[in-house]
Amino acid sequence: MIGFLDILSFGLEWGYVLVFCWMLHTFLPLRRNRALRVLAFFACSFLAPAVIYSNDLPGLIGVLTGFGAYVALFHRGRWMEKLSAVLVFGPALIAVNYMTQDAGSRIFFGLTQAPSGPSQGWTRQELLASTAIHTGFQLVRLLFWTGAWLLLKKHLRRITSDLTARMWLVVDALMLSPFVAIFTIIYFLPEAPVIVYPICVTSIFSGFGCIWLAAYICASVRTACHARELEVKQDYYRDRMKDEERVRGIYHDLKNHLLVLQARTEDGQELRRSVQGLQEQIGAYEDYYHTGNEFLDIILRDKAGKAQERKIAFSAMLSMEDSAFLDPLDISTIFGNALDNAIEASEKLPEERRAIVAKAGRIRDILVVSVENNALPEAASSLKTTKRDERAHGFGLPNIRKAVERYGGQCSVRAQEGQFLLKIMIPVP
């Protein structure tokens, strides 16, 4: 019976190691190298079941240090995201392992009155009881981490994709309290389970609560952005309907206009003015783009209008029929930032050099996007913003990269000889 329980306990331990490792991977993806992923799983198998004893300062520091090194080495993400992973999952891991270990010991010695260690002569019944209690608490750990993953998996994925740098700092600041609490309470009040256990549970729920709160904020921001997107689309279609009505009116009167122009062929100057007037009336309708993505059409019309105001030659040849998998907010981030940067760089040049060329299309299973513009030599080489609000503009390229990497894509920049080229490649699912 003891042998069977040992095997069962071993299986349960590897089970919750797998769940804990997968939960971390959901929050912060593992590095893509397969060898590193296998190594990460085996490293996690030593960290996840780490035994935490009361008043064990070296053990506490060792687990926290090892967990921090594990996240830093094997997981992708910015340092703020990795710090959040340590502050959220580190205290939870320590609290769960400490409570299951301590509660198991108290139950065993309370029931059996056995001596403090097996070496002092445990009976077979005491060994069986110890193994059974240990196996039971291994099951408790597995159920806890499985339940936590099922409860938080959607939130974990959402916040890692939506949180900004400042929001990550807020989450890290909120997580410092339970982190310090769990560390202090286990070390300084080890013999008072009535005090220690509630604080351990509170620390766990505080960490997971921060995840839920961050996910709720992200959802609220995303809802507001989608509402704004709908407003922009409504304004776009309203303007387009007005322009189409005007064009239909011009078409209706086109025969009369041609008769008038034909009668004025002798007056060249008057003819040119009439033709120019017609061109101006239908010019606004030509600003519409048909890329296959409605939201991108709106962005292009807006940026083309800004380029025209600044006397910048703007050319867009985009075929985005296969871009339905891209979120509108990511389209806004990629194309909005890229074209804003190009307009900013172009307006500092003489009018004859102001030009922007945007291209996009599918090549096999890759969506390729490029935005090219002329720029001052020193600006092209430095890639640094010249806007007064550097904090706002400085996130342009990093935000583009983050949006592209969300789909497993790549973003490259080439700046040389007064030309700037941004190239993006995104796999089409």
Side-chain angles (χ1 to χ4, degrees):
M1 186 65 178
I2 293 178
F4 170 76
L5 290 176
D6 283 335
I7 295 173
L8 180 60
S9 176
F10 179 79
L12 291 172
E13 180 177 308
W14 276 99
Y16 83 74
V17 166
L18 177 62
V19 174
F20 180 76
C21 186
W22 187 255
M23 190 172 184
L24 268 179
H25 174 67
T26 305
F27 185 72
L28 280 183
L30 288 165
R31 298 190 185 276
R32 294 187 176 91
N33 186 283
R34 290 185 179 181
L36 283 178
R37 290 192 172 197
V38 174
L39 187 60
F41 179 71
F42 282 102
C44 190
S45 68
F46 290 97
L47 285 170
V51 178
I52 307 297
Y53 294 104
S54 301
N55 206 233
D56 183 14
L57 182 61
L60 282 171
I61 294 177
V63 171
L64 290 174
T65 303
F67 186 63
Y70 168 82
V71 172
L73 289 174
F74 296 110
H75 288 265
R76 290 177 282 159
R78 295 173 292 177
W79 69 268
M80 291 173 291
E81 298 169 347
K82 293 182 177 181
L83 179 61
S84 295
V86 174
L87 293 177
V88 170
F89 295 103
L93 177 66
I94 291 174
V96 171
N97 288 6
Y98 171 78
M99 286 191 296
T100 53
Q101 175 71 23
D102 186 72
S105 298
R106 291 179 185 275
I107 291 172
F108 171 74
F109 289 111
L111 291 176
T112 64
Q113 303 299 320
S116 58
S119 60
Q120 299 182 16
W122 284 4
T123 64
R124 184 168 182 81
Q125 287 76 13
E126 290 170 342
L127 287 173
L128 178 61
S130 174
T131 306
I133 292 172
H134 176 72
T135 303
F137 278 105
Q138 294 285 61
L139 177 61
V140 169
R141 292 185 187 184
L142 174 60
L143 293 176
F144 170 81
W145 287 114
T146 302
W149 180 74
L150 292 174
L151 183 66
L152 296 173
K153 61 180 180 179
K154 292 183 179 179
H155 302 314
L156 292 172
R157 292 168 181 162
R158 181 178 298 165
I159 63 176
T160 51
S161 62
D162 293 348
L163 279 187
T164 63
R166 292 184 180 180
M167 293 173 71
W168 276 114
L169 289 176
V170 172
V171 172
D172 291 344
L174 291 174
M175 280 308 305
L176 282 176
S177 296
F179 180 84
V180 173
I182 197 70
F183 185 88
T184 305
I185 200 71
I186 292 177
Y187 181 67
F188 288 105
L189 293 172
E191 302 302 328
V194 176
I195 300 176
V196 176
Y197 287 8
I199 293 179
C200 286
V201 173
T202 302
S203 297
I204 294 171
F205 280 96
S206 295
F208 292 165
C210 284
I211 293 176
W212 184 89
L213 178 61
Y216 176 78
I217 294 173
C218 289
S220 300
V221 171
R222 182 170 285 272
T223 301
C225 290
H226 281 302
R228 175 58 183 161
E229 172 194 335
L230 291 175
E231 290 179 5
V232 171
K233 282 187 175 182
Q234 186 178 11
D235 293 340
Y236 170 80
Y237 287 119
R238 186 184 297 114
D239 292 342
R240 183 162 183 173
M241 288 178 64
K242 289 179 181 179
D243 289 337
E244 287 183 349
E245 288 178 3
R246 190 174 72 251
V247 170
R248 283 197 296 267
I250 294 173
Y251 177 78
H252 181 267
D253 295 334
L254 189 58
K255 290 183 179 180
N256 295 329
H257 290 319
L258 291 175
L259 290 173
V260 172
L261 292 177
Q262 194 174 22
R264 295 179 178 178
T265 53
E266 296 179 358
D267 189 347
Q269 186 175 0
E270 184 69 20
L271 178 61
R272 282 192 296 272
R273 282 199 299 268
S274 299
V275 172
Q276 184 177 0
L278 281 175
Q279 289 175 338
E280 290 175 355
Q281 290 183 63
I282 65 174
Y285 188 78
E286 295 177 347
D287 289 338
Y288 289 98
Y289 291 88
H290 305 278
T291 65
N293 186 293
E294 293 182 350
F295 196 67
L296 180 57
D297 294 343
I298 297 172
I299 294 173
L300 286 177
R301 185 172 187 248
D302 177 65
K303 304 307 177 186
K306 291 182 179 179
Q308 186 177 7
E309 291 174 2
R310 293 162 176 78
K311 298 181 179 180
I312 300 171
F314 185 87
S315 174
M317 295 165 284
L318 298 96
S319 178
M320 297 286 286
E321 289 82 3
D322 299 315
S323 64
F325 67 96
L326 295 176
D327 189 278
L329 295 181
D330 292 325
I331 291 175
S332 177
T333 297
I334 294 170
F335 288 93
N337 280 296
L339 294 175
D340 281 340
N341 291 347
I343 291 172
E344 178 203 350
S346 298
E347 63 183 345
K348 294 174 174 55
L349 297 171
E351 287 188 20
E352 63 273 10
R353 291 198 61 219
R354 297 179 183 178
I356 298 173
V357 178
K359 298 179 181 179
R362 178 172 179 171
I363 301 177
R364 294 185 180 179
D365 292 331
I366 302 294
L367 183 64
V368 180
V369 178
S370 67
V371 178
E372 187 173 6
N373 61 275
N374 295 326
L376 295 173
E378 59 272 15
S381 61
S382 67
L383 302 184
K384 186 177 180 181
T385 181
T386 57
K387 286 187 178 179
R388 293 180 181 178
D389 187 5
E390 293 191 7
R391 291 179 299 175
H393 185 76
F395 288 111
L397 285 175
N399 282 348
I400 291 174
R401 286 195 175 95
K402 186 176 180 181
V404 171
E405 289 173 357
R406 194 171 297 150
Y407 300 93
Q410 296 180 348
C411 175
S412 63
V413 172
R414 187 185 68 191
Q416 60 184 11
E417 298 178 359
Q419 288 188 328
F420 184 93
L421 174 63
L422 172 66
K423 192 169 185 179
I424 294 167
M425 292 184 292
I426 302 175
V428 178

